[in-house]
Amino acid sequence: MNPSKRQQEETFFGDVEPVKKARLPENENDGQEKLQACEEEASLPQNEEQKVCQEVTEQKIRRRKVVLLLSYSGWGYLGMQRNPDAKTIEGDLLLAMKNAGILSQEYYEKPQMMLFQRAARTDKGVSAVRQVVSLKIPEGTDIQAINEHLSPQIRVVCMKRTTKGFNSKVNCDARTYSYVLPTYAFAPPGEEPSESFRISKEIMERINQVLKNYVGTHNFHNFTFKKGFKDPSAIRFMHTFTCGEPFVRSDREYIILTVKGQSFMQHHIRKMIGLAIAVLRGYTVEETIQKAFKSDPLDIPKAPGLGLMLEEVHYDAYNKRYGSDGVHEKLDWTENESFLNEFKEKFILKNILKTEEEEKSMLTWMTTLPGHSYSLRENRPPTINKKQEPLVEEQHGKEIKTECNLAPTTNLVPETNQNENVTSE
């Protein structure tokens, strides 16, 4: 018996899926509709144009884990970390990368998809000479294309390839910050601070002696806020804390304090410097620093934020392990020193010194030093000049009430002309 025509067709096509009939776009000249049609009708025989459009849509971009070295002036920015509806360094960086065609809209909106991570979080107004971010970006990315879409006060200095598991924050061994201030902040006790003041070698030696108290492992709960003595995260290690040589600009003498630590908390550096200045000015004794490492909450002044900048983040352990393996580069920026020094001078130091000259934030802040007790925060300041007394009493009562209900505060007299939230993680 001969099989029917239907049975013959079923036998022949039994292992082949039926071909779906394509619904072609009404306007064949519309490229967008052609692209949509070729994506939806994958089983259709394709002409050369359809094959190209499918390859483009399905192509995977090859990405590499790299670090970007950034230099930026934080003036006019609300910090490094990206925040909605805020002008931040990260926000401008990611937008520049998107505009340069390096990031898609999805990666721009969700930078965690490319494992984006900063080494240190600088806050409002704080600049960085050598900041590092790690991320995965398309192979062959041109950093000059990013810089073309950035403000001159933000530069991507160089790019280096790293290991797949590298994290700029986790792999960071230490961070170095510097703080530039007028030398009259260290004028001897009883001497009126003035712009004509010039620091002596003896005072510089005394500054280094006082700063040495911070070196080593200590409990810095008194140098931040919302951290108690028993909080293990308050224990930090400081490698070095030194005073540099003075320099003169516009007939004013300045000095730079440099601290290298494993990590820092919010207001940490500013409070260490604030207490050191108070010691040098004679408002408290040097032993107060050691007392601040103990359990009692102390009233410690917070220096202005203007002079603070991130100098460098360190990767010594990473460089030792991978820096000479023949595949990865050392995270060292020696070849960029000339540019970095020029950028620091033009966009960071120049702005700090100009602002200090105009606003005199350090001189204004120094008038608040007599209003601190440098002892238990609930105690009334022991020595206050009569002219200041009514203001301090009013502020003291207000601060005591705040301390009872909220997190401890540090200043009994309000500080003026300061940028808030300016230290790093």
Side-chain angles (χ1 to χ4, degrees):
M1 180 177 180
N2 294 330
S4 67
K5 184 178 181 181
R6 180 181 180 85
Q7 288 174 329
Q8 289 178 351
E9 289 177 349
E10 288 178 351
T11 302
F12 184 78
F13 294 106
D15 295 332
V16 180
E17 296 206 6
V19 176
K20 296 180 181 179
K21 186 176 181 181
R23 183 167 54 87
L24 295 176
E26 294 180 2
N27 184 358
E28 294 185 3
N29 294 323
D30 189 334
Q32 182 61 34
E33 292 184 2
K34 281 185 178 182
L35 178 61
Q36 184 177 355
C38 77
E39 290 177 343
E40 292 178 350
E41 311 295 342
S43 60
L44 281 175
Q46 298 173 327
N47 58 32
E48 290 300 317
E49 186 176 2
Q50 287 175 319
K51 288 181 180 180
V52 169
C53 74
Q54 185 172 6
E55 288 173 359
V56 170
T57 56
E58 294 180 355
Q59 181 182 12
K60 290 186 178 180
I61 300 174
R62 191 171 188 179
R63 299 176 182 273
R64 295 290 189 186
K65 192 67 170 287
V66 301
V67 294
L68 300 180
L69 176 66
L70 308 178
S71 289
Y72 56 83
S73 167
W75 187 254
Y77 284 85
L78 296 176
M80 170 70 178
Q81 187 172 357
R82 186 184 189 187
N83 286 305
D85 303 320
K87 185 176 177 60
T88 66
I89 302 296
E90 276 184 13
D92 277 17
L93 174 64
L94 293 172
L95 181 60
M97 294 176 73
K98 188 187 82 166
N99 291 339
I102 297 169
L103 300 184
S104 65
Q105 182 66 29
E106 186 178 21
Y107 275 75
Y108 169 72
E109 293 174 354
K110 300 176 181 179
Q112 64 270 24
M113 292 178 63
M114 58 178 173
L115 305 179
F116 185 93
Q117 178 62 57
R118 74 200 73 83
R121 184 190 67 226
T122 55
D123 294 322
K124 180 182 176 182
V126 178
S127 302
V129 185
R130 301 169 190 83
Q131 169 74 284
V132 170
V133 297
S134 57
L135 68 168
K136 291 186 74 173
I137 54 178
E139 196 172 30
T141 293
D142 180 11
I143 61 173
Q144 294 309 317
I146 304 174
N147 285 327
E148 289 175 3
H149 296 275
L150 284 171
S151 159
Q153 71 183 83
I154 307 175
R155 291 291 91 177
V156 179
V157 182
C158 73
M159 176 177 68
K160 292 191 177 186
R161 186 179 169 185
T162 65
T163 59
K164 292 181 180 179
F166 181 84
N167 182 300
S168 61
K169 180 180 177 181
V170 174
N171 290 101
C172 182
D173 304 307
R175 298 156 178 86
T176 296
Y177 280 81
S178 66
Y179 188 89
V180 58
L181 71 165
T183 56
Y184 62 67
F186 298 109
E191 183 176 333
E192 191 71 21
S194 70
E195 293 177 347
S196 61
F197 177 81
R198 295 295 182 264
I199 199 167
S200 66
K201 288 290 184 183
E202 291 75 20
I203 294 178
M204 290 176 60
E205 290 175 1
R206 175 68 177 141
I207 295 172
N208 280 315
Q209 178 185 336
V210 172
L211 295 179
K212 198 172 181 180
N213 284 278
Y214 296 115
V215 176
T217 302
H218 301 288
N219 190 316
F220 287 95
H221 73 102
N222 270 312
F223 295 87
T224 185
F225 66 101
K226 295 184 180 178
K227 285 189 186 293
F229 177 73
K230 294 183 179 181
D231 189 335
S233 67
I235 299 175
R236 304 291 167 116
F237 177 73
M238 300 297 115
H239 294 267
T240 57
F241 205 161
T242 58
C243 166
E245 292 294 323
F247 62 95
V248 177
R249 298 288 173 84
S250 303
D251 296 325
R252 297 170 178 84
E253 188 179 61
Y254 296 89
I255 205 164
I256 297 178
L257 308 181
T258 305
V259 57
K260 179 182 179 181
Q262 186 176 15
S263 59
F264 299 92
M265 300 172 286
Q266 198 168 25
H267 304 322
H268 188 171
I269 299 172
R270 292 170 60 188
K271 285 202 166 192
M272 288 194 293
I273 293 173
L275 183 54
I277 293 174
V279 170
L280 271 295
R281 289 288 293 160
Y283 292 108
T284 188
V285 294
E286 188 174 342
E287 287 72 21
T288 303
I289 298 177
Q290 295 298 324
K291 189 178 178 181
F293 299 143
K294 301 189 182 303
S295 59
D296 289 339
L298 302 188
D299 172 30
I300 295 175
K302 179 178 63 180
L306 177 63
L308 186 63
M309 72 183 90
L310 173 65
E311 285 283 352
E312 187 170 2
V313 287
H314 304 269
Y315 297 99
D316 297 336
Y318 176 86
N319 287 340
K320 185 177 181 181
R321 183 172 181 181
Y322 298 106
S324 57
D325 65 359
V327 179
H328 305 96
E329 300 176 83
K330 274 190 176 182
L331 300 186
D332 175 82
W333 323 113
T334 305
E335 67 272 20
N336 306 109
E337 281 303 304
S338 178
F339 175 85
L340 293 170
N341 290 332
E342 182 181 343
F343 184 92
K344 178 181 177 180
E345 180 67 33
K346 182 178 180 180
F347 289 97
I348 301 177
L349 264 181
K350 183 178 179 180
N351 181 67
I352 290 175
L353 302 185
K354 181 182 178 183
T355 306
E356 178 61 39
E357 179 182 344
E358 294 173 351
E359 299 183 0
K360 295 179 171 52
S361 61
M362 179 56 68
L363 192 62
T364 303
W365 171 80
M366 290 176 69
T367 64
T368 71
L369 290 177
H372 293 271
S373 67
Y374 307 97
S375 59
L376 291 175
R377 276 196 289 260
E378 62 266 30
N379 291 345
R380 188 180 187 280
T383 306
I384 303 173
N385 138 357
K386 289 185 179 180
K387 189 175 182 180
Q388 293 176 315
E389 190 169 358
L391 175 62
V392 174
E393 286 181 340
E394 179 183 350
Q395 291 295 327
H396 179 70
K398 182 178 179 181
E399 292 297 330
I400 293 297
K401 181 177 179 181
T402 302
E403 289 174 10
C404 293
N405 296 292
L406 300 173
T409 57
T410 58
N411 295 327
L412 304 183
V413 179
E415 298 174 3
T416 57
N417 295 326
Q418 295 188 34
N419 292 322
E420 292 300 319
N421 302 329
V422 297
T423 55
S424 167
E425 291 175 329

